[in-house]
Amino acid sequence: MFIITCPFCGERDQSEFSAGGEAHIIRPKQPTELSDDEWADFLFMRKNIKGVQFERWNHAHGCRKWFNVIRDTSNDKIHAVYKMGEKPPSD
Amino acid sequence: MLNINFPKIEKKDYPNLELNLVEPIHKLNLRGKNRDFFTKAGRILSIMLPTEPNTSATIKSISALWLSPDEWMIYGKDIDKNLMLSLDSEISKLNLGSVTDVSDQWVLINMRGKNVFEVLSKGSPFDFNKFKDTKNVTVQTLLNHVDVILHQNDTNNLDLFVRKSFSEHLWLWINDSSRSL
Ligand SMILES: [Zn+2]
């Protein structure tokens, strides 16, 4: 169990949130021009790092907004939280 | 309107805790972002929609609860057909935002007394320490794994909204938890 700071509601228990997978995966501009391998790569392949990872989370049982989280998957330490469309903090 | 059957919820008294069903009562969901939306909603409801997270505003018997940066729950005994028609014609029809009647979606239970937060703390991951000493605060969280919207009007006087299909189950849980206070 850990605490996540929703950028809209503030500190809440993890059980109020749902994880939305890796962040900053850009949808190809011309999907029809991709090979099957490239499309599969976009759709399914994720880094799944043991360590610091960029993730999307949704405050499912609160404001229902999506946002980004930088989390260390090995110890659940959260390094930063930032809104959708914002650049990740540089440090 | 509002002639639906509610779950069997009757007034209950426990040590320092009183539970009541507050139905039927109108509830509206308002969504919007731009300045015109805020101005129109403010004028029709005579309430400035609160923009500070987890807060509420009440004037007369109408309350506006902050749900997210662009979403509010409006409820109260003074909401009538005229007010709903104004919101519909001046916000919804002009595409300034959305107005949805959620009266039948949510069931309103009032809890009052010193033991309100003793009961809630038994089944919620939310930290009520600051919340319980503040007036006009609101929070969306979980209670016994069920989504709830909580609104503290006054100290130890709490309005709890639960989706209708979960309301009977949550009511039984609240009563079970209150029995062992
Ligand atoms: Zn939130």
Side-chain angles (χ1 to χ4, degrees):
Chain A
M1 296 288 270
F2 54 98
I3 302 285
I4 299 173
T5 305
C6 168
F8 304 98
C9 307
E11 281 187 2
R12 296 295 182 85
D13 188 82
Q14 174 212 345
S15 58
E16 289 188 12
F17 299 85
S18 63
E22 195 180 326
H24 306 301
I25 293 175
I26 297 162
R27 187 183 171 87
K29 283 215 171 72
Q30 302 288 351
T32 47
E33 287 170 19
L34 295 188
S35 68
D36 283 355
D37 280 353
E38 284 169 324
W39 182 243
D41 196 45
F42 158 73
L43 222 47
F44 303 117
M45 302 313 278
R46 297 295 180 261
K47 291 198 191 97
N48 199 19
I49 296 163
K50 183 185 178 186
V52 177
Q53 180 164 271
F54 292 69
E55 301 173 331
R56 298 178 308 170
W57 283 75
N58 178 245
H59 194 185
H61 303 288
C63 62
R64 294 179 299 282
K65 293 281 180 200
W66 284 91
F67 57 95
N68 298 301
V69 172
I70 305 177
R71 180 176 69 103
D72 191 325
T73 56
S74 65
N75 57 15
D76 281 336
K77 188 175 183 294
I78 290 175
H79 294 275
V81 169
Y82 53 101
K83 292 176 186 170
M84 281 295 165
E86 288 180 357
K87 289 233 160 69
S90 48
D91 50 339
Chain B
M1 275 197 308
L2 299 182
N3 58 355
I4 45 165
N5 295 317
F6 290 97
K8 286 204 171 62
I9 296 179
E10 284 158 7
K11 184 175 177 293
K12 288 273 184 184
D13 282 303
Y14 294 99
N16 291 313
L17 178 67
E18 189 187 312
L19 307 174
N20 268 307
L21 177 73
V22 192
E23 293 289 352
I25 191 165
H26 278 299
K27 312 168 196 84
L28 303 170
N29 181 284
L30 239 60
R31 301 198 70 159
K33 284 178 184 167
N34 63 33
R35 185 191 290 254
D36 283 351
F37 165 79
F38 277 94
T39 319
K40 280 270 170 69
R43 196 168 48 75
I44 297 166
L45 296 165
S46 309
I47 298 177
M48 283 309 289
L49 296 176
T51 50
E52 195 188 325
N54 311 313
T55 63
S56 71
T58 302
I59 289 182
K60 288 182 186 165
S61 83
I62 299 181
S63 294
L65 315 185
W66 181 95
L67 298 181
S68 93
D70 54 5
E71 186 177 6
W72 291 264
M73 160 88 94
I74 315 292
Y75 76 105
K77 297 243 183 258
D78 283 351
I79 297 177
D80 56 15
K81 207 167 181 180
N82 284 339
L83 189 133
M84 287 162 78
L85 286 173
S86 309
L87 287 170
D88 190 47
S89 61
E90 293 187 47
I91 292 176
S92 216
K93 291 228 166 86
L94 302 178
N95 282 332
L96 290 179
S98 77
V99 183
T100 314
D101 186 348
V102 290
S103 302
D104 300 347
Q105 187 192 343
W106 297 91
V107 168
L108 174 50
I109 296 169
N110 180 263
M111 303 172 72
R112 65 177 77 193
K114 261 188 264 170
N115 277 332
V116 167
F117 295 102
E118 292 294 319
V119 172
L120 295 181
S121 301
K122 290 183 186 191
S124 177
F126 185 70
D127 178 1
F128 287 105
N129 270 322
K130 257 194 226 154
F131 186 93
K132 68 179 181 194
D133 296 322
T134 323
K135 280 181 196 174
N136 298 319
V137 279
T138 179
V139 63
Q140 295 178 91
T141 185
L142 293 164
L143 184 59
N144 187 32
H145 310 282
V146 176
D147 279 292
V148 287
I149 303 173
L150 305 176
H151 175 218
Q152 180 164 238
N153 311 299
D154 205 346
T155 312
N156 296 327
N157 183 346
L158 191 106
D159 281 341
L160 180 153
F161 297 87
V162 55
R163 287 198 178 86
K164 197 174 179 185
S165 52
F166 288 93
S167 59
E168 203 152 354
H169 168 74
L170 193 69
W171 173 254
L172 293 174
W173 181 88
I174 293 173
N175 278 273
D176 270 351
S177 306
S178 306
R179 255 174 233 126
S180 55
L181 272 169

